[in-house]
Amino acid sequence: MVENRPFLTMLSHFVVLLGVVIIAFPVWMTFVASTHSQQTMLQSPIPVLPGPHLIENYKKVLTEGYGKVGSTPVMMTLTNSMIMALGVAIGKIAISIISAFAIVYFRFPGRMYFFWAIFVTLMLPVEVRIVPTYGVVASLGMLDSYSGLIIPLIASATATFLFRQFFLSVPDELTEAARVDGASPMRFFWDILLPMSRTSIAALFVIQFIYGWNQYLWPLLITTKESYYTVVMTVSRQANVVDSVPSWNLLMAMAMLAMLPPVLVVVFMQRQFVRGLVETEK
Amino acid sequence: MEKRVTFNERWLPYLLLGPQMIITLVFFFWPSGQAIYQSVLIEDVFGGNSKFVWFENFAQLFRDNSYAHSAQITVVFSFLVAAIGLGFSLLLAVMADRVIRGATAYKTFLVWPYAVAPAVAGVLWGFLFNPSVGILAWMLQGIGIEFNYVINGNQALLLVVIAAVWNQISYNFLFFLAGLQSIPKSLIEAAAIDGAGPGRRFWDIIFPLLSPVGFFLLVVNIIYAFFGTFGVVDSLTKGGPGKSTEILVFKVFNDGFRGQDLGGSSAQSVILMIVVIALTFVQFRFIERRVHY
């Protein structure tokens, strides 16, 4: 602070607090709704303070699901989302760290072509080419499978660039020392490069876990069997089902469960999250 | 930049690149090529036969009023998302930067909306403004405003904007805060000694120094509004009421899967690809400049 202006400091606190309250409000209301009975949630105005039905509601959605027709237990969709998010995050990191290693540490014909081929994938999000990508996955027989959910999403230029950038900053002396000691390239990768990349891997993991967990359109298209539904798509789907009597309490309990894992990851790995966010944009 | 020391291996590098290249070819180049190929074909209604028609699909798109309408909505939508999102998060970042006590706590309370899926964000805001039980809709009614996004197109668009901004706010906030914290304190102090007040210091020093970050965020937010908001739209309005929230990326999906118009949908895909490539190009040009600065 350059100078002491108590009024301005007060104002700053006030504005930021107001911002925090506005931003948290939707989630507060979701939480409140998930702790009331179905009847309470049908009369406007709805309550703004939590009610007594928390455990009952969450137990119901976790084990039985929501609605009367075609209800999937949230336990199952949470498991699917976890498999998908972990698969996407680990898969992306694994394939991009080895391709970055190849591009940085070897000279071979066609190196730049590979580099540019990876670079262009940066440009087209899956939403843009959704129809033909669906066609390809269908013709490979990958609909309704975990591999169909995960593999098409793990080609990632950002991760490859992040590792490339990091490898370029690793001192050449380390490589020289390894070579003098007779280490093979893979030995160098496992024993020196990989342990040094820990922080980059952690940062990327947080970003990619959220990316995988929050996928919506892709699982919506390629899954028709309930046993592969993810939690995000079921929340949205149930919100749009025209039920005679909507169970807001259960729907909002589901929404809370869908938000919880990625939010916890961001809050508890905040440093890695911020780092990942800033570095993937370079 | 290149490494001075490298390994000499003949096959190993190809082996290492293999997994990524196979996935990129199969799930990226092949579908993108198909989109381009199908965009110049018209398929028979009964399937099977398709005819090469040059740019007929594109010409049809440009004649189509609903496409022009969708493009127009996308522009309005992205402008609102970028303007409101950047304005609000800049205000929060400047204020959070001012307070020394509690700044990290505030940060924790502001970063988590990034982790909420766009589709879930749509459900949350739809609940708050639900015409029968939504608490905010009820409050608005209390002050005499009839808010019903299910039947009112403009209100639906506004609601989609709010949900999209909310979802993106932590991203903008973090980048603005980082930008603010990288401004040398000595500059601000010098201006203060010369008698410039907080407002003057903001507009004459902080704001110009933040403009690279601001420009970068502008491009990122436009890309986000164009392509990242599918989930918000689909779970809130499904493009309705009427077609008042049918943004381009939603229309590609709608025409391709629900309308079964492969040629038209592919032509739209190709146009969107050109838009993303152009935007990414702008973003990279700018980043290059920032590095040299």
Side-chain angles (χ1 to χ4, degrees), chain B residues 37-56:
Chain B
Y37 176 63
Q38 272 162 2
S39 71
V40 292
L41 296 179
I42 285 184
E43 203 152 318
D44 210 320
V45 219
F46 303 105
N49 288 331
S50 46
K51 209 170 70 190
F52 182 72
V53 290
W54 287 104
F55 297 111
E56 179 55 31

mmCIF file with all atom_site columns, all heavy atoms in Angstrom, chain B residues 37-56:
data_model
loop_
_atom_site.group_PDB
_atom_site.id
_atom_site.type_symbol
_atom_site.label_atom_id
_atom_site.label_alt_id
_atom_site.label_comp_id
_atom_site.label_asym_id
_atom_site.label_entity_id
_atom_site.label_seq_id
_atom_site.pdbx_PDB_ins_code
_atom_site.Cartn_x
_atom_site.Cartn_y
_atom_site.Cartn_z
_atom_site.occupancy
_atom_site.B_iso_or_equiv
_atom_site.pdbx_formal_charge
_atom_site.auth_seq_id
_atom_site.auth_comp_id
_atom_site.auth_asym_id
_atom_site.auth_atom_id
_atom_site.pdbx_PDB_model_num
ATOM 1   N N   . TYR B 1 37 ? -14.645 -32.560 -46.379 1.00 0.00 ? 37 TYR B N   1
ATOM 2   C CA  . TYR B 1 37 ? -15.136 -33.339 -47.508 1.00 0.00 ? 37 TYR B CA  1
ATOM 3   C C   . TYR B 1 37 ? -16.666 -33.274 -47.583 1.00 0.00 ? 37 TYR B C   1
ATOM 4   O O   . TYR B 1 37 ? -17.244 -32.997 -48.640 1.00 0.00 ? 37 TYR B O   1
ATOM 5   C CB  . TYR B 1 37 ? -14.652 -34.779 -47.342 1.00 0.00 ? 37 TYR B CB  1
ATOM 6   C CG  . TYR B 1 37 ? -15.156 -35.754 -48.371 1.00 0.00 ? 37 TYR B CG  1
ATOM 7   C CD1 . TYR B 1 37 ? -14.822 -35.596 -49.718 1.00 0.00 ? 37 TYR B CD1 1
ATOM 8   C CD2 . TYR B 1 37 ? -15.946 -36.840 -48.001 1.00 0.00 ? 37 TYR B CD2 1
ATOM 9   C CE1 . TYR B 1 37 ? -15.277 -36.505 -50.656 1.00 0.00 ? 37 TYR B CE1 1
ATOM 10  C CE2 . TYR B 1 37 ? -16.405 -37.745 -48.933 1.00 0.00 ? 37 TYR B CE2 1
ATOM 11  C CZ  . TYR B 1 37 ? -16.072 -37.571 -50.272 1.00 0.00 ? 37 TYR B CZ  1
ATOM 12  O OH  . TYR B 1 37 ? -16.527 -38.465 -51.193 1.00 0.00 ? 37 TYR B OH  1
ATOM 13  N N   . GLN B 1 38 ? -17.326 -33.497 -46.431 1.00 0.00 ? 38 GLN B N   1
ATOM 14  C CA  . GLN B 1 38 ? -18.790 -33.504 -46.449 1.00 0.00 ? 38 GLN B CA  1
ATOM 15  C C   . GLN B 1 38 ? -19.383 -32.129 -46.698 1.00 0.00 ? 38 GLN B C   1
ATOM 16  O O   . GLN B 1 38 ? -20.529 -32.008 -47.114 1.00 0.00 ? 38 GLN B O   1
ATOM 17  C CB  . GLN B 1 38 ? -19.316 -34.056 -45.124 1.00 0.00 ? 38 GLN B CB  1
ATOM 18  C CG  . GLN B 1 38 ? -19.452 -35.559 -45.176 1.00 0.00 ? 38 GLN B CG  1
ATOM 19  C CD  . GLN B 1 38 ? -19.553 -36.161 -43.798 1.00 0.00 ? 38 GLN B CD  1
ATOM 20  O OE1 . GLN B 1 38 ? -19.554 -35.440 -42.806 1.00 0.00 ? 38 GLN B OE1 1
ATOM 21  N NE2 . GLN B 1 38 ? -19.632 -37.466 -43.736 1.00 0.00 ? 38 GLN B NE2 1
ATOM 22  N N   . SER B 1 39 ? -18.592 -31.097 -46.442 1.00 0.00 ? 39 SER B N   1
ATOM 23  C CA  . SER B 1 39 ? -19.140 -29.751 -46.621 1.00 0.00 ? 39 SER B CA  1
ATOM 24  C C   . SER B 1 39 ? -19.334 -29.427 -48.107 1.00 0.00 ? 39 SER B C   1
ATOM 25  O O   . SER B 1 39 ? -20.000 -28.462 -48.448 1.00 0.00 ? 39 SER B O   1
ATOM 26  C CB  . SER B 1 39 ? -18.230 -28.718 -45.967 1.00 0.00 ? 39 SER B CB  1
ATOM 27  O OG  . SER B 1 39 ? -17.040 -28.590 -46.709 1.00 0.00 ? 39 SER B OG  1
ATOM 28  N N   . VAL B 1 40 ? -18.751 -30.231 -49.007 1.00 0.00 ? 40 VAL B N   1
ATOM 29  C CA  . VAL B 1 40 ? -18.976 -29.990 -50.430 1.00 0.00 ? 40 VAL B CA  1
ATOM 30  C C   . VAL B 1 40 ? -19.869 -31.070 -51.054 1.00 0.00 ? 40 VAL B C   1
ATOM 31  O O   . VAL B 1 40 ? -19.935 -31.202 -52.262 1.00 0.00 ? 40 VAL B O   1
ATOM 32  C CB  . VAL B 1 40 ? -17.645 -29.883 -51.220 1.00 0.00 ? 40 VAL B CB  1
ATOM 33  C CG1 . VAL B 1 40 ? -16.895 -28.634 -50.817 1.00 0.00 ? 40 VAL B CG1 1
ATOM 34  C CG2 . VAL B 1 40 ? -16.776 -31.115 -50.998 1.00 0.00 ? 40 VAL B CG2 1
ATOM 35  N N   . LEU B 1 41 ? -20.535 -31.853 -50.203 1.00 0.00 ? 41 LEU B N   1
ATOM 36  C CA  . LEU B 1 41 ? -21.435 -32.884 -50.707 1.00 0.00 ? 41 LEU B CA  1
ATOM 37  C C   . LEU B 1 41 ? -22.863 -32.601 -50.249 1.00 0.00 ? 41 LEU B C   1
ATOM 38  O O   . LEU B 1 41 ? -23.077 -31.990 -49.207 1.00 0.00 ? 41 LEU B O   1
ATOM 39  C CB  . LEU B 1 41 ? -21.052 -34.263 -50.162 1.00 0.00 ? 41 LEU B CB  1
ATOM 40  C CG  . LEU B 1 41 ? -19.712 -34.858 -50.535 1.00 0.00 ? 41 LEU B CG  1
ATOM 41  C CD1 . LEU B 1 41 ? -19.566 -36.212 -49.861 1.00 0.00 ? 41 LEU B CD1 1
ATOM 42  C CD2 . LEU B 1 41 ? -19.572 -35.006 -52.044 1.00 0.00 ? 41 LEU B CD2 1
ATOM 43  N N   . ILE B 1 42 ? -23.824 -33.076 -51.052 1.00 0.00 ? 42 ILE B N   1
ATOM 44  C CA  . ILE B 1 42 ? -25.197 -33.079 -50.556 1.00 0.00 ? 42 ILE B CA  1
ATOM 45  C C   . ILE B 1 42 ? -25.662 -34.519 -50.542 1.00 0.00 ? 42 ILE B C   1
ATOM 46  O O   . ILE B 1 42 ? -25.536 -35.236 -51.538 1.00 0.00 ? 42 ILE B O   1
ATOM 47  C CB  . ILE B 1 42 ? -26.144 -32.229 -51.441 1.00 0.00 ? 42 ILE B CB  1
ATOM 48  C CG1 . ILE B 1 42 ? -25.889 -30.759 -51.180 1.00 0.00 ? 42 ILE B CG1 1
ATOM 49  C CG2 . ILE B 1 42 ? -27.602 -32.559 -51.134 1.00 0.00 ? 42 ILE B CG2 1
ATOM 50  C CD1 . ILE B 1 42 ? -26.830 -29.843 -51.915 1.00 0.00 ? 42 ILE B CD1 1
ATOM 51  N N   . GLU B 1 43 ? -26.162 -34.951 -49.400 1.00 0.00 ? 43 GLU B N   1
ATOM 52  C CA  . GLU B 1 43 ? -26.560 -36.341 -49.285 1.00 0.00 ? 43 GLU B CA  1
ATOM 53  C C   . GLU B 1 43 ? -28.027 -36.484 -49.632 1.00 0.00 ? 43 GLU B C   1
ATOM 54  O O   . GLU B 1 43 ? -28.846 -35.633 -49.311 1.00 0.00 ? 43 GLU B O   1
ATOM 55  C CB  . GLU B 1 43 ? -26.288 -36.830 -47.865 1.00 0.00 ? 43 GLU B CB  1
ATOM 56  C CG  . GLU B 1 43 ? -26.145 -38.329 -47.799 1.00 0.00 ? 43 GLU B CG  1
ATOM 57  C CD  . GLU B 1 43 ? -25.246 -38.748 -46.635 1.00 0.00 ? 43 GLU B CD  1
ATOM 58  O OE1 . GLU B 1 43 ? -24.216 -38.101 -46.418 1.00 0.00 ? 43 GLU B OE1 1
ATOM 59  O OE2 . GLU B 1 43 ? -25.597 -39.705 -45.956 1.00 0.00 ? 43 GLU B OE2 1
ATOM 60  N N   . ASP B 1 44 ? -28.329 -37.584 -50.272 1.00 0.00 ? 44 ASP B N   1
ATOM 61  C CA  . ASP B 1 44 ? -29.706 -37.925 -50.593 1.00 0.00 ? 44 ASP B CA  1
ATOM 62  C C   . ASP B 1 44 ? -30.518 -38.058 -49.309 1.00 0.00 ? 44 ASP B C   1
ATOM 63  O O   . ASP B 1 44 ? -29.997 -38.497 -48.295 1.00 0.00 ? 44 ASP B O   1
ATOM 64  C CB  . ASP B 1 44 ? -29.701 -39.290 -51.321 1.00 0.00 ? 44 ASP B CB  1
ATOM 65  C CG  . ASP B 1 44 ? -30.851 -39.380 -52.275 1.00 0.00 ? 44 ASP B CG  1
ATOM 66  O OD1 . ASP B 1 44 ? -31.928 -38.917 -51.898 1.00 0.00 ? 44 ASP B OD1 1
ATOM 67  O OD2 . ASP B 1 44 ? -30.636 -39.900 -53.399 1.00 0.00 ? 44 ASP B OD2 1
ATOM 68  N N   . VAL B 1 45 ? -31.790 -37.692 -49.381 1.00 0.00 ? 45 VAL B N   1
ATOM 69  C CA  . VAL B 1 45 ? -32.616 -37.806 -48.168 1.00 0.00 ? 45 VAL B CA  1
ATOM 70  C C   . VAL B 1 45 ? -32.708 -39.253 -47.702 1.00 0.00 ? 45 VAL B C   1
ATOM 71  O O   . VAL B 1 45 ? -32.829 -39.529 -46.521 1.00 0.00 ? 45 VAL B O   1
ATOM 72  C CB  . VAL B 1 45 ? -34.051 -37.293 -48.400 1.00 0.00 ? 45 VAL B CB  1
ATOM 73  C CG1 . VAL B 1 45 ? -34.541 -36.530 -47.192 1.00 0.00 ? 45 VAL B CG1 1
ATOM 74  C CG2 . VAL B 1 45 ? -34.131 -36.445 -49.659 1.00 0.00 ? 45 VAL B CG2 1
ATOM 75  N N   . PHE B 1 46 ? -32.654 -40.185 -48.657 1.00 0.00 ? 46 PHE B N   1
ATOM 76  C CA  . PHE B 1 46 ? -32.800 -41.588 -48.289 1.00 0.00 ? 46 PHE B CA  1
ATOM 77  C C   . PHE B 1 46 ? -31.453 -42.206 -47.933 1.00 0.00 ? 46 PHE B C   1
ATOM 78  O O   . PHE B 1 46 ? -31.361 -43.396 -47.688 1.00 0.00 ? 46 PHE B O   1
ATOM 79  C CB  . PHE B 1 46 ? -33.453 -42.363 -49.431 1.00 0.00 ? 46 PHE B CB  1
ATOM 80  C CG  . PHE B 1 46 ? -34.773 -41.791 -49.811 1.00 0.00 ? 46 PHE B CG  1
ATOM 81  C CD1 . PHE B 1 46 ? -34.915 -41.050 -50.983 1.00 0.00 ? 46 PHE B CD1 1
ATOM 82  C CD2 . PHE B 1 46 ? -35.877 -41.955 -48.976 1.00 0.00 ? 46 PHE B CD2 1
ATOM 83  C CE1 . PHE B 1 46 ? -36.130 -40.507 -51.318 1.00 0.00 ? 46 PHE B CE1 1
ATOM 84  C CE2 . PHE B 1 46 ? -37.089 -41.407 -49.313 1.00 0.00 ? 46 PHE B CE2 1
ATOM 85  C CZ  . PHE B 1 46 ? -37.224 -40.678 -50.491 1.00 0.00 ? 46 PHE B CZ  1
ATOM 86  N N   . GLY B 1 47 ? -30.407 -41.404 -47.923 1.00 0.00 ? 47 GLY B N   1
ATOM 87  C CA  . GLY B 1 47 ? -29.091 -41.911 -47.569 1.00 0.00 ? 47 GLY B CA  1
ATOM 88  C C   . GLY B 1 47 ? -28.440 -42.613 -48.736 1.00 0.00 ? 47 GLY B C   1
ATOM 89  O O   . GLY B 1 47 ? -29.056 -42.886 -49.753 1.00 0.00 ? 47 GLY B O   1
ATOM 90  N N   . GLY B 1 48 ? -27.167 -42.916 -48.582 1.00 0.00 ? 48 GLY B N   1
ATOM 91  C CA  . GLY B 1 48 ? -26.489 -43.649 -49.634 1.00 0.00 ? 48 GLY B CA  1
ATOM 92  C C   . GLY B 1 48 ? -25.890 -42.737 -50.683 1.00 0.00 ? 48 GLY B C   1
ATOM 93  O O   . GLY B 1 48 ? -24.694 -42.501 -50.690 1.00 0.00 ? 48 GLY B O   1
ATOM 94  N N   . ASN B 1 49 ? -26.731 -42.206 -51.558 1.00 0.00 ? 49 ASN B N   1
ATOM 95  C CA  . ASN B 1 49 ? -26.199 -41.381 -52.637 1.00 0.00 ? 49 ASN B CA  1
ATOM 96  C C   . ASN B 1 49 ? -25.782 -40.002 -52.149 1.00 0.00 ? 49 ASN B C   1
ATOM 97  O O   . ASN B 1 49 ? -26.538 -39.324 -51.465 1.00 0.00 ? 49 ASN B O   1
ATOM 98  C CB  . ASN B 1 49 ? -27.258 -41.188 -53.719 1.00 0.00 ? 49 ASN B CB  1
ATOM 99  C CG  . ASN B 1 49 ? -27.452 -42.462 -54.488 1.00 0.00 ? 49 ASN B CG  1
ATOM 100 O OD1 . ASN B 1 49 ? -26.523 -43.254 -54.602 1.00 0.00 ? 49 ASN B OD1 1
ATOM 101 N ND2 . ASN B 1 49 ? -28.669 -42.686 -54.988 1.00 0.00 ? 49 ASN B ND2 1
ATOM 102 N N   . SER B 1 50 ? -24.587 -39.595 -52.515 1.00 0.00 ? 50 SER B N   1
ATOM 103 C CA  . SER B 1 50 ? -24.250 -38.206 -52.235 1.00 0.00 ? 50 SER B CA  1
ATOM 104 C C   . SER B 1 50 ? -23.640 -37.596 -53.495 1.00 0.00 ? 50 SER B C   1
ATOM 105 O O   . SER B 1 50 ? -23.028 -38.278 -54.309 1.00 0.00 ? 50 SER B O   1
ATOM 106 C CB  . SER B 1 50 ? -23.304 -38.104 -51.048 1.00 0.00 ? 50 SER B CB  1
ATOM 107 O OG  . SER B 1 50 ? -22.272 -39.033 -51.170 1.00 0.00 ? 50 SER B OG  1
ATOM 108 N N   . LYS B 1 51 ? -23.850 -36.313 -53.635 1.00 0.00 ? 51 LYS B N   1
ATOM 109 C CA  . LYS B 1 51 ? -23.470 -35.634 -54.862 1.00 0.00 ? 51 LYS B CA  1
ATOM 110 C C   . LYS B 1 51 ? -22.480 -34.523 -54.539 1.00 0.00 ? 51 LYS B C   1
ATOM 111 O O   . LYS B 1 51 ? -22.633 -33.819 -53.541 1.00 0.00 ? 51 LYS B O   1
ATOM 112 C CB  . LYS B 1 51 ? -24.735 -35.047 -55.501 1.00 0.00 ? 51 LYS B CB  1
ATOM 113 C CG  . LYS B 1 51 ? -24.646 -34.941 -57.006 1.00 0.00 ? 51 LYS B CG  1
ATOM 114 C CD  . LYS B 1 51 ? -26.020 -34.591 -57.584 1.00 0.00 ? 51 LYS B CD  1
ATOM 115 C CE  . LYS B 1 51 ? -26.399 -33.178 -57.232 1.00 0.00 ? 51 LYS B CE  1
ATOM 116 N NZ  . LYS B 1 51 ? -27.778 -32.812 -57.534 1.00 0.00 ? 51 LYS B NZ  1
ATOM 117 N N   . PHE B 1 52 ? -21.468 -34.378 -55.386 1.00 0.00 ? 52 PHE B N   1
ATOM 118 C CA  . PHE B 1 52 ? -20.501 -33.314 -55.202 1.00 0.00 ? 52 PHE B CA  1
ATOM 119 C C   . PHE B 1 52 ? -21.100 -31.998 -55.695 1.00 0.00 ? 52 PHE B C   1
ATOM 120 O O   . PHE B 1 52 ? -21.566 -31.917 -56.828 1.00 0.00 ? 52 PHE B O   1
ATOM 121 C CB  . PHE B 1 52 ? -19.233 -33.645 -55.996 1.00 0.00 ? 52 PHE B CB  1
ATOM 122 C CG  . PHE B 1 52 ? -18.156 -32.625 -55.826 1.00 0.00 ? 52 PHE B CG  1
ATOM 123 C CD1 . PHE B 1 52 ? -17.463 -32.530 -54.626 1.00 0.00 ? 52 PHE B CD1 1
ATOM 124 C CD2 . PHE B 1 52 ? -17.835 -31.765 -56.864 1.00 0.00 ? 52 PHE B CD2 1
ATOM 125 C CE1 . PHE B 1 52 ? -16.465 -31.601 -54.472 1.00 0.00 ? 52 PHE B CE1 1
ATOM 126 C CE2 . PHE B 1 52 ? -16.840 -30.827 -56.706 1.00 0.00 ? 52 PHE B CE2 1
ATOM 127 C CZ  . PHE B 1 52 ? -16.150 -30.741 -55.515 1.00 0.00 ? 52 PHE B CZ  1
ATOM 128 N N   . VAL B 1 53 ? -21.130 -30.986 -54.839 1.00 0.00 ? 53 VAL B N   1
ATOM 129 C CA  . VAL B 1 53 ? -21.853 -29.770 -55.233 1.00 0.00 ? 53 VAL B CA  1
ATOM 130 C C   . VAL B 1 53 ? -21.013 -28.499 -55.090 1.00 0.00 ? 53 VAL B C   1
ATOM 131 O O   . VAL B 1 53 ? -21.551 -27.408 -54.994 1.00 0.00 ? 53 VAL B O   1
ATOM 132 C CB  . VAL B 1 53 ? -23.133 -29.597 -54.376 1.00 0.00 ? 53 VAL B CB  1
ATOM 133 C CG1 . VAL B 1 53 ? -24.158 -30.642 -54.747 1.00 0.00 ? 53 VAL B CG1 1
ATOM 134 C CG2 . VAL B 1 53 ? -22.808 -29.647 -52.894 1.00 0.00 ? 53 VAL B CG2 1
ATOM 135 N N   . TRP B 1 54 ? -19.700 -28.637 -55.075 1.00 0.00 ? 54 TRP B N   1
ATOM 136 C CA  . TRP B 1 54 ? -18.837 -27.463 -54.855 1.00 0.00 ? 54 TRP B CA  1
ATOM 137 C C   . TRP B 1 54 ? -19.222 -26.723 -53.588 1.00 0.00 ? 54 TRP B C   1
ATOM 138 O O   . TRP B 1 54 ? -19.350 -27.328 -52.544 1.00 0.00 ? 54 TRP B O   1
ATOM 139 C CB  . TRP B 1 54 ? -18.874 -26.521 -56.071 1.00 0.00 ? 54 TRP B CB  1
ATOM 140 C CG  . TRP B 1 54 ? -18.129 -27.074 -57.239 1.00 0.00 ? 54 TRP B CG  1
ATOM 141 C CD1 . TRP B 1 54 ? -18.687 -27.631 -58.361 1.00 0.00 ? 54 TRP B CD1 1
ATOM 142 C CD2 . TRP B 1 54 ? -16.710 -27.175 -57.394 1.00 0.00 ? 54 TRP B CD2 1
ATOM 143 N NE1 . TRP B 1 54 ? -17.701 -28.063 -59.202 1.00 0.00 ? 54 TRP B NE1 1
ATOM 144 C CE2 . TRP B 1 54 ? -16.485 -27.785 -58.644 1.00 0.00 ? 54 TRP B CE2 1
ATOM 145 C CE3 . TRP B 1 54 ? -15.622 -26.799 -56.617 1.00 0.00 ? 54 TRP B CE3 1
ATOM 146 C CZ2 . TRP B 1 54 ? -15.196 -28.028 -59.122 1.00 0.00 ? 54 TRP B CZ2 1
ATOM 147 C CZ3 . TRP B 1 54 ? -14.346 -27.034 -57.085 1.00 0.00 ? 54 TRP B CZ3 1
ATOM 148 C CH2 . TRP B 1 54 ? -14.144 -27.645 -58.324 1.00 0.00 ? 54 TRP B CH2 1
ATOM 149 N N   . PHE B 1 55 ? -19.499 -25.446 -53.686 1.00 0.00 ? 55 PHE B N   1
ATOM 150 C CA  . PHE B 1 55 ? -19.728 -24.664 -52.475 1.00 0.00 ? 55 PHE B CA  1
ATOM 151 C C   . PHE B 1 55 ? -21.201 -24.403 -52.219 1.00 0.00 ? 55 PHE B C   1
ATOM 152 O O   . PHE B 1 55 ? -21.554 -23.460 -51.532 1.00 0.00 ? 55 PHE B O   1
ATOM 153 C CB  . PHE B 1 55 ? -18.936 -23.355 -52.543 1.00 0.00 ? 55 PHE B CB  1
ATOM 154 C CG  . PHE B 1 55 ? -17.456 -23.592 -52.594 1.00 0.00 ? 55 PHE B CG  1
ATOM 155 C CD1 . PHE B 1 55 ? -16.728 -23.309 -53.740 1.00 0.00 ? 55 PHE B CD1 1
ATOM 156 C CD2 . PHE B 1 55 ? -16.803 -24.127 -51.490 1.00 0.00 ? 55 PHE B CD2 1
ATOM 157 C CE1 . PHE B 1 55 ? -15.359 -23.559 -53.781 1.00 0.00 ? 55 PHE B CE1 1
ATOM 158 C CE2 . PHE B 1 55 ? -15.439 -24.377 -51.526 1.00 0.00 ? 55 PHE B CE2 1
ATOM 159 C CZ  . PHE B 1 55 ? -14.709 -24.092 -52.678 1.00 0.00 ? 55 PHE B CZ  1
ATOM 160 N N   . GLU B 1 56 ? -22.034 -25.269 -52.783 1.00 0.00 ? 56 GLU B N   1
ATOM 161 C CA  . GLU B 1 56 ? -23.477 -25.064 -52.656 1.00 0.00 ? 56 GLU B CA  1
ATOM 162 C C   . GLU B 1 56 ? -23.923 -24.997 -51.191 1.00 0.00 ? 56 GLU B C   1
ATOM 163 O O   . GLU B 1 56 ? -24.731 -24.158 -50.819 1.00 0.00 ? 56 GLU B O   1
ATOM 164 C CB  . GLU B 1 56 ? -24.206 -26.199 -53.387 1.00 0.00 ? 56 GLU B CB  1
ATOM 165 C CG  . GLU B 1 56 ? -25.725 -26.144 -53.341 1.00 0.00 ? 56 GLU B CG  1
ATOM 166 C CD  . GLU B 1 56 ? -26.303 -24.829 -53.843 1.00 0.00 ? 56 GLU B CD  1
ATOM 167 O OE1 . GLU B 1 56 ? -25.689 -24.217 -54.732 1.00 0.00 ? 56 GLU B OE1 1
ATOM 168 O OE2 . GLU B 1 56 ? -27.355 -24.418 -53.318 1.00 0.00 ? 56 GLU B OE2 1
#
